[in-house]
Amino acid sequence: MIPLKVTDEELMLALLNSPTQKQAAAMLGVTEQTLCKRVQKSDFQKRFSELRRKMLDTVSSELTKASYAAANKLVEFLDSKNEQLRYSACCKILQLANDTVALNEIIQRLDRLENGKS
């Protein structure tokens, strides 16, 4: 068993910060087999999945905020005196606009499929 001094929260953080369970176990000073026993418990898996989801939500939110600043900077570059910078900004904006339209179309198709409409 993992020593009681290693909490589930510490174990979860080690798993999130290590590419493998073996490295997470080494970080905590326990064997990989011992770590796996705790990880396999359904209560632990539920809590760990929830923690990962919350972390991804936080990261997604921060990236969304940063994307507004990045988009504004691209628009500013359209007025640059540097022709290459203006050209690059134009190309990037067109590419991102195209990607956004395509993604929105896919989302709309999925919505129609989920709602039973063609």
Side-chain angles (χ1 to χ4, degrees):
M1 199 89 198
I2 293 178
L4 292 178
K5 64 182 177 181
V6 177
T7 66
D8 279 352
E9 289 72 21
E10 291 170 323
L11 180 57
M12 290 178 197
L13 287 174
L15 289 167
L16 289 169
N17 290 300
S18 302
T20 66
Q21 287 187 351
K22 183 176 185 174
Q23 289 177 353
M27 182 188 299
L28 295 168
V30 298
T31 66
E32 185 178 4
Q33 184 179 33
T34 301
L35 180 140
C36 287
K37 287 180 186 177
R38 176 114 48 109
V39 168
Q40 289 173 356
K41 293 182 179 182
S42 64
D43 180 58
F44 181 89
Q45 288 178 2
K46 274 176 67 173
R47 291 174 49 220
F48 187 57
S49 291
E50 180 65 18
L51 177 63
R52 265 195 313 213
R53 187 193 61 73
K54 286 179 181 178
M55 289 181 70
L56 287 173
D57 286 349
T58 300
V59 168
S60 177
S61 177
E62 290 300 314
L63 289 173
T64 299
K65 286 184 225 173
S67 70
Y68 288 115
N72 287 332
K73 185 54 76 176
L74 272 176
V75 171
E76 286 178 26
F77 289 156
L78 294 174
D79 294 329
S80 172
K81 292 181 181 178
N82 181 317
E83 186 175 339
Q84 181 61 41
L85 184 56
R86 284 194 318 271
Y87 175 78
S88 294
C90 287
C91 289
K92 192 52 143 175
I93 288 170
L94 290 170
Q95 176 190 357
L96 291 170
N98 186 56
D99 292 348
T100 301
V101 168
L103 185 57
N104 282 334
E105 288 176 0
I106 291 168
I107 290 169
Q108 289 174 3
R109 288 179 193 168
L110 284 173
D111 286 345
R112 285 193 302 267
L113 286 171
E114 288 176 353
N115 294 325
K117 300 175 186 175
S118 298

